[in-house]
Amino acid sequence: MIDFEPLAELALREGIQRIGVGVVVRDASGRILMIRRSTDHVLPGLWEYPGGTREADEDVPSGAARGLAEQTGLTGQPLEYVRHLDLTDQRGCHVRQFVFTTVVPDDTEVVLSQDHDDHRWAYPDAVPPIGDGQRDVIAWLTRRLAVPGWRPVGGYLTTIARPSSYGSLLVTDPEGRILGLRSTINPQVWNFPGGNVEHGATPFTTALVEAQEELGLDLAAENAETIARRRLVAVIHEQAGTEYPVPVCGYVFDGGVLTPEQQARIRLDPAEHTEWRFETPHDWCRLMEPARYQRLLQVLRAHRCGVPLYLERPAPENEFEGVLVLVTDGRGRLLMHHRDQREGIAWPGHWTPIGGWREGTETEEETAAREVLEEAGIAVSGLRPVPGPQHDLVHPLTRVLHTVWDGPETDLRLGDEGLAVRMVPLEDVPLLKIPPYMHHYLPLLADTAAAAGLPSGRTA
């Protein structure tokens, strides 16, 4: 259903002074109903299609139906919106007429009001003298109806999926942690600040208004420079589901950084949210259900790459957001990375293979090669998925890849993350502080090395 109120408001902003309605009535033979103004009416003798002025507190379709019934006696007709016509009436008033159309059987009875004294069914190319604007509307509609399969927009819209939309803001703290709000209605759900777009609003203005209502902060004032850029981070299309049975199109914008002082002034609307918190991507995993966590990772990827991404939910098959890279050499050693000892990351203080998040539209191999170069300073190629089932402690959105590197160990260079990198004999890896999933992948690496005729443990 079309909401005409925003269209009427737009007309007023464009200098239109009055809203009118009109109905092009067609019969089964393709003729148009024309009615003639009576001699004691304004512009006596003028032929026109039914129409008039929308009354106060009346929506546009209701005004069209009322005008049609009053002037012709035709009631209960399904009206389809066609287009608008801008005209200047006899008083010099600028009018925007919203034009509808409907079809009735041949020989339908017409009962005229006192304002009209005659009616005629005429083929489009033989209508009596009428105003140029109405003549143009009839000619335009006739041409469009001649196109096979064409239907007035008001009817066409009933045949396609019309998604709802929302606007939201990605807000972080100075440490890069992401703001989430716990839903009052469903405490298991954490959301970005924002909400559904109402009639006449836009996703961006909705995000700002909702954020102010939900946080008690005017982000346009708090983060003026960031908000002024209107940076679009991602567009997310969500298919209809049983929980929300219509498609949804979401727009995520950069909401900037909130300092501790700004955070202290957050005041939640208890009707919508009961709690707010900033968490790292790793820690949000335990708080969000899988589909929402995947959306978070996708949005963060878009935010990092600096280029808006189009995303879908459910995501296409084989979608990934991170990699774990097992790099071995011809001496039966595995590249291991000693991770930082800090909260908010996976396996702090452990020795793990190289890993990291996807950037932009990278493939699995591109992500893996970049992460190894950034964290260990070496270039690798020939990356292949590790065969066999994935360990439960490795997130389903993480891809596990393997490659053999034949460079000298002196080429290893620690990047800006972690405490150390080094090649470790496979047999010595269990002696380190490692995640439990390594006990799953070490035998797979040993089998891979043996199949390739390479050492599977320490060599002299």
Side-chain angles (χ1 to χ4, degrees), residues 297-298 300-311 319-321 357-363 366-367 370:
L297 294 182
Q298 290 177 316
L300 293 179
R301 171 160 57 92
H303 189 260
R304 288 194 304 271
C305 76
V307 177
L309 294 182
Y310 167 72
L311 308 169
E319 191 76 352
F320 78 101
E321 293 301 329
W357 301 112
R358 181 185 185 187
E359 299 289 347
T361 57
E362 288 177 333
T363 64
E366 290 169 342
T367 301
R370 176 184 51 75

Side-chain angles (χ1 to χ4, degrees), residues 182 187-190 277 279 283-289:
R182 186 194 287 271
Q188 303 302 314
V189 171
W190 291 83
R277 63 169 62 188
E279 297 288 357
D283 285 343
W284 275 123
C285 181
R286 62 184 173 82
L287 295 169
M288 290 184 171
E289 53 101 12

Side-chain angles (χ1 to χ4, degrees), residues 37-316:
R37 295 192 183 188
S38 59
T39 55
D40 57 353
H41 196 271
V42 177
L43 300 178
L46 177 68
W47 288 89
E48 60 188 358
Y49 51 67
T53 301
R54 180 185 67 163
E55 295 183 351
D57 301 325
E58 183 178 51
D59 62 59
V60 171
S62 297
R66 175 189 51 75
L68 179 64
E70 290 177 353
Q71 295 176 2
T72 68
L74 299 176
T75 60
Q77 296 300 127
L79 303 181
E80 292 184 336
Y81 173 64
V82 175
R83 53 168 287 180
H84 78 267
L85 167 66
D86 286 348
L87 54 92
T88 302
D89 66 12
Q90 63 275 10
R91 299 183 182 88
C93 183
H94 298 299
V95 179
R96 176 158 296 175
Q97 182 185 80
F98 290 97
V99 183
F100 297 78
T101 190
T102 190
V103 179
V104 299
D106 288 349
D107 302 322
T108 293
E109 182 181 6
V110 175
V111 180
L112 296 176
S113 69
Q114 294 181 350
D115 293 336
H116 296 87
D117 59 11
D118 195 9
H119 77 278
R120 182 184 304 177
W121 293 95
Y123 287 104
D125 59 354
V127 294
I130 59 176
D132 291 341
Q134 290 203 358
R135 184 181 298 277
D136 289 343
V137 167
I138 292 174
W140 179 90
L141 178 59
T142 301
R143 289 193 303 270
R144 292 298 179 92
L145 289 169
V147 177
W150 184 84
R151 186 174 179 182
V153 64
Y156 171 70
L157 289 176
T158 65
T159 69
I160 61 175
R162 291 175 290 167
S164 65
S165 61
Y166 66 85
S168 61
L169 295 170
L170 176 63
V171 179
T172 61
D173 68 2
E175 286 73 45
R177 298 177 300 177
I178 304 99
L179 174 63
L181 308 176
R182 186 194 287 271
S183 169
T184 297
I185 297 174
N186 184 354
Q188 303 302 314
V189 171
W190 291 83
N191 294 313
F192 293 154
N196 291 325
V197 179
E198 298 181 353
H199 294 299
T202 68
F204 183 75
T205 56
T206 295
L208 284 179
V209 170
E210 291 288 333
Q212 183 167 4
E213 294 176 355
E214 294 168 354
L215 299 175
L217 297 178
D218 179 2
L219 292 183
E222 302 283 348
N223 294 333
E225 185 176 342
T226 298
I227 298 300
R229 288 197 292 266
R230 295 181 173 232
R231 178 191 164 196
L232 176 65
V233 175
V235 176
I236 307 170
H237 184 273
E238 302 182 38
Q239 295 283 38
T242 53
E243 182 178 353
Y244 204 79
V246 296
V248 179
C249 190
Y251 300 81
V252 183
F253 301 92
D254 185 1
V257 177
L258 287 183
T259 65
E261 184 276 329
Q262 291 170 315
Q263 295 174 35
R265 291 188 280 108
I266 291 178
R267 297 293 183 269
L268 296 181
D269 176 0
E272 296 199 51
H273 300 101
T274 60
E275 180 185 352
W276 62 269
R277 63 169 62 188
F278 287 89
E279 297 288 357
T280 66
H282 176 264
D283 285 343
W284 275 123
C285 181
R286 62 184 173 82
L287 295 169
M288 290 184 171
E289 53 101 12
R292 287 182 177 271
Y293 182 63
Q294 179 172 10
R295 181 181 66 177
L296 172 65
L297 294 182
Q298 290 177 316
V299 169
L300 293 179
R301 171 160 57 92
H303 189 260
R304 288 194 304 271
C305 76
V307 177
L309 294 182
Y310 167 72
L311 308 169
E312 291 184 352
R313 288 186 60 196

